[in-house]
Amino acid sequence: AYDIMGYVDQSGMFSAVHAALANGGCIGIFPEGGSHDRTDLLPLKAGVAAIALGTQEKYDVKVPIVPIGLTYFRGHRFRGRLVVEFGEPIYITQEISEQYGESKKLAYQALLTQVEKGMRSVIVTAHDYGDLKLVHTVRRLYQRSATSMSTKDKQDLARRFSEGYKLLKERYKDTGFPGDVKSVLTKIKDYQDALDQWGLRDYQLQHTHLQLSYSKMLYIFLHGLVILSLASIPSLILNFPVGVAANYWAYREAKKDLKASRVKLAARDVLLSKKIIFSLAAVPILWISYAVLALLFSSLEARTILVLFLCCPFFSYVGVMAMERSFVDLKDLRPAFLRLLPAFKKVAERLPAKRASLQAELRAMVDKYGPSFGPLYTDKTDAWEAAHNDHQNNNSNINHLAATANEPTSQEQIASVIATNFCEGGDEEEEEDSVTEEATLQRKKDE
């Protein structure tokens, strides 16, 4: 049985949106039409195109469409990270405007194609979580240092590797990867598997955690444990009960959403939203309960209880921040503690050297195959995607011309296609946890 939605008159909504945009307003819209936890875009809905073209038709105003990329790291948990990137504005071309007068459907499709390209320029996409995990591992190995690049540069490098890997798979889809590429990819996967096996992070191999003396390790551990204990007191009292209840309720609700969805993989995209909704109601109730209990069963004066109650938000925030930093520091000590295990001693000696060797092999492979991808490799500016798209269009036209011609394509024909297209074109830690968790979920779902 399927639910059937009756006709909904949205003319009033569109009129209001058109007027707001014509008056210089800004509208935020998610063109995929819903949230999901996949590694690639869903087919875009026509709403964004209908709004932009409708505003131009009604008010003669060309509305710029600015693609915004949202990249979450551990986005299903409290205190996760989010990277927001803004792409180049997309304007309605004269060709699409003329097409709109003849066929709105075709105009919508043409504009949505541009919007999709713009969105892909500000996010990292992959076929599945296995490929996404590989892309981020390659990016971390390729960069010189974990702290030498900004978050924006890391995202840009990840997009380049993601696009390059897709092109490489397409190029060798019939014959398979060359021996050197296959060898490097196998070594990279083995390296990441070794990290996963011991619960290590790539950046930890670049620091001195594996060389800490036992005395210094013990001091850092005890110091962190004391700080964590002190910080946990307000968090355990003010946050922990709600956190446990919110986590349970969110996962229960996510299962319902997963069952009702055709696009979600594990419904992780709704977890944090559910937790926040629950906490917005539960946290004040918990604090009020504490205040009532203190008023009924303690000898404290009412004004003292009121002051403590008003201080709850501050104490709660300080506790969260202190515990977060303590957990990060303690987690960084994991490699040092693993040295106590006999089986890990040999691994601790091999992994840094293995990483250095693998980094050299990866860079050599990139230098070998990179130039064949054109601007994807050679253009060091933020505008590489536009040049890369032009380069791909040129190659597609040349291949099409060679495939459809009755006789072998001449050098003059190829030069003509290139010239025509040229003229038409014009002038570390949290992401590892997040991608690893998503890849594990993908494998479980596939099984």
Side-chain angles (χ1 to χ4, degrees), residues 280-311:
L280 286 175
V283 167
I285 292 174
L286 179 65
W287 294 349
I288 292 173
S289 300
Y290 284 149
V292 171
L293 291 174
L295 189 62
L296 295 176
F297 300 103
S298 73
S299 58
L300 296 175
E301 296 183 3
R303 58 183 179 181
T304 303
I305 295 175
L306 177 62
V307 171
L308 291 175
F309 175 75
L310 295 177
C311 290

Side-chain angles (χ1 to χ4, degrees), residues 268-406:
R268 294 163 71 87
D269 55 306
V270 301
L271 283 176
L272 187 58
S273 299
K274 303 292 186 183
K275 292 177 183 178
I276 291 175
I277 292 172
F278 183 91
S279 300
L280 286 175
V283 167
I285 292 174
L286 179 65
W287 294 349
I288 292 173
S289 300
Y290 284 149
V292 171
L293 291 174
L295 189 62
L296 295 176
F297 300 103
S298 73
S299 58
L300 296 175
E301 296 183 3
R303 58 183 179 181
T304 303
I305 295 175
L306 177 62
V307 171
L308 291 175
F309 175 75
L310 295 177
C311 290
C312 281
F314 173 75
F315 292 150
S316 177
Y317 175 75
V318 171
V320 169
M321 296 299 293
M323 286 195 69
E324 179 181 307
R325 294 309 310 165
S326 298
F327 277 122
V328 170
D329 292 339
L330 290 177
K331 185 163 56 177
D332 283 347
L333 286 175
R334 180 180 176 86
F337 278 107
L338 287 174
R339 290 175 56 207
L340 298 174
L341 301 177
F344 183 73
K345 290 184 178 180
K346 294 182 179 180
V347 176
E349 296 172 357
R350 293 198 310 263
L351 274 181
K354 182 177 181 180
R355 185 188 188 281
S357 174
L358 189 54
Q359 184 181 58
E361 289 186 57
L362 174 63
R363 284 185 162 271
M365 186 184 75
V366 171
D367 291 340
K368 177 180 178 180
Y369 292 94
S372 65
F373 294 138
L376 179 65
Y377 174 80
T378 59
D379 193 337
K380 307 303 180 184
T381 68
D382 294 338
W384 65 268
E385 278 133 335
H388 172 65
N389 290 334
D390 290 341
H391 178 75
Q392 291 301 112
N393 290 335
N394 290 339
N395 289 341
S396 297
N397 288 336
I398 292 171
N399 293 336
H400 177 72
L401 182 60
T404 57
N406 293 327

Side-chain angles (χ1 to χ4, degrees), residues 21 48 50 52 61 96 104 125 139 143 149 170 212 219 236 270 272 289 318 335 360 387 396 409:
L21 291 174
V48 61
V61 175
I96 293 179
K104 291 186 177 181
T125 60
R139 191 269 300 162
Q143 66 187 63
M149 299 179 68
E170 178 66 22
L212 285 176
Y219 167 77
L236 287 175
V270 301
L272 187 58
S289 300
V318 171
S396 297
T409 305

Side-chain angles (χ1 to χ4, degrees), residues 6-284:
Y7 172 75
V8 179
D9 184 5
Q10 297 180 327
S11 58
M13 180 274 295
F14 277 108
S15 296
V17 170
H18 293 159
L21 291 174
N23 291 325
C26 180
I27 302 295
I29 185 171
F30 290 84
E32 292 175 278
S35 69
H36 62 92
D37 51 355
R38 292 182 174 271
T39 58
D40 206 346
L41 295 172
L42 295 178
L44 304 187
K45 307 296 184 182
V48 61
I51 290 173
L53 288 166
T55 303
Q56 178 177 282
E57 178 187 32
K58 192 172 183 179
Y59 293 98
D60 195 25
V61 175
K62 288 192 174 183
V63 179
I65 303 172
V66 181
I68 302 175
L70 305 178
T71 302
Y72 294 91
F73 299 106
R74 300 169 69 85
H76 61 294
R77 297 187 180 183
F78 285 116
R79 304 294 298 167
R81 295 290 191 270
L82 169 65
V83 176
V84 182
E85 293 188 72
F86 296 85
E88 291 295 323
I90 300 168
Y91 290 92
I92 300 172
T93 63
Q94 184 63 32
E95 181 182 357
I96 293 179
S97 297
E98 295 173 356
Q99 194 175 40
Y100 183 71
E102 301 172 359
S103 171
K104 291 186 177 181
K105 182 178 180 179
L106 293 178
Y108 290 163
Q109 292 175 347
L111 184 55
L112 286 177
T113 298
Q114 293 188 8
V115 172
E116 182 176 345
K117 289 181 179 179
M119 292 181 65
R120 291 186 181 281
S121 71
V122 290
I123 59 175
V124 180
T125 60
H127 176 68
D128 54 36
Y129 282 114
D131 285 355
L132 184 61
K133 184 177 181 180
L134 176 65
V135 166
H136 282 289
T137 302
V138 168
R139 191 269 300 162
R140 286 189 291 269
L141 286 170
Y142 184 81
Q143 66 187 63
R144 295 295 186 184
S145 171
T147 58
S148 62
M149 299 179 68
S150 65
T151 301
K152 179 182 177 181
D153 291 337
K154 290 178 182 179
Q155 285 294 100
D156 180 77
L157 185 57
R159 271 197 298 275
R160 291 176 189 256
F161 276 121
S162 176
E163 183 65 20
Y165 186 54
K166 293 174 188 175
L167 294 176
L168 207 60
K169 289 172 68 175
E170 178 66 22
R171 180 182 296 178
Y172 297 107
K173 64 180 180 181
D174 297 326
T175 61
F177 288 130
D180 55 345
V181 175
K182 188 180 298 183
S183 174
V184 171
L185 291 179
T186 300
K187 291 179 181 178
I188 291 174
K189 291 177 180 177
D190 291 342
Y191 168 75
Q192 185 60 56
D193 288 343
L195 294 183
D196 294 341
Q197 179 183 355
W198 293 100
L200 299 175
R201 303 291 174 259
D202 179 76
Y203 74 92
Q204 293 172 332
L205 300 185
Q206 304 176 55
H207 298 163
T208 58
H209 298 88
L210 297 178
Q211 288 76 41
L212 285 176
S213 64
Y214 291 124
S215 59
K216 186 173 183 179
M217 179 188 70
L218 182 61
Y219 167 77
I220 295 177
F221 172 73
L222 292 176
H223 180 266
L225 187 62
V226 171
I227 299 300
L228 178 62
S229 300
L230 294 175
S232 65
I233 294 175
S235 290
L236 287 175
I237 297 174
L238 300 176
N239 303 325
F240 184 72
V242 173
V244 172
N247 191 66
Y248 171 78
W249 185 78
Y251 274 95
R252 190 183 67 176
E253 292 298 308
K255 290 181 180 179
K256 297 179 183 178
D257 290 354
L258 178 61
K259 187 176 181 180
S261 173
R262 291 179 296 176
V263 298
K264 298 182 187 298
L265 295 177
R268 294 163 71 87
D269 55 306
V270 301
L271 283 176
L272 187 58
S273 299
K274 303 292 186 183
K275 292 177 183 178
I276 291 175
I277 292 172
F278 183 91
S279 300
L280 286 175
V283 167

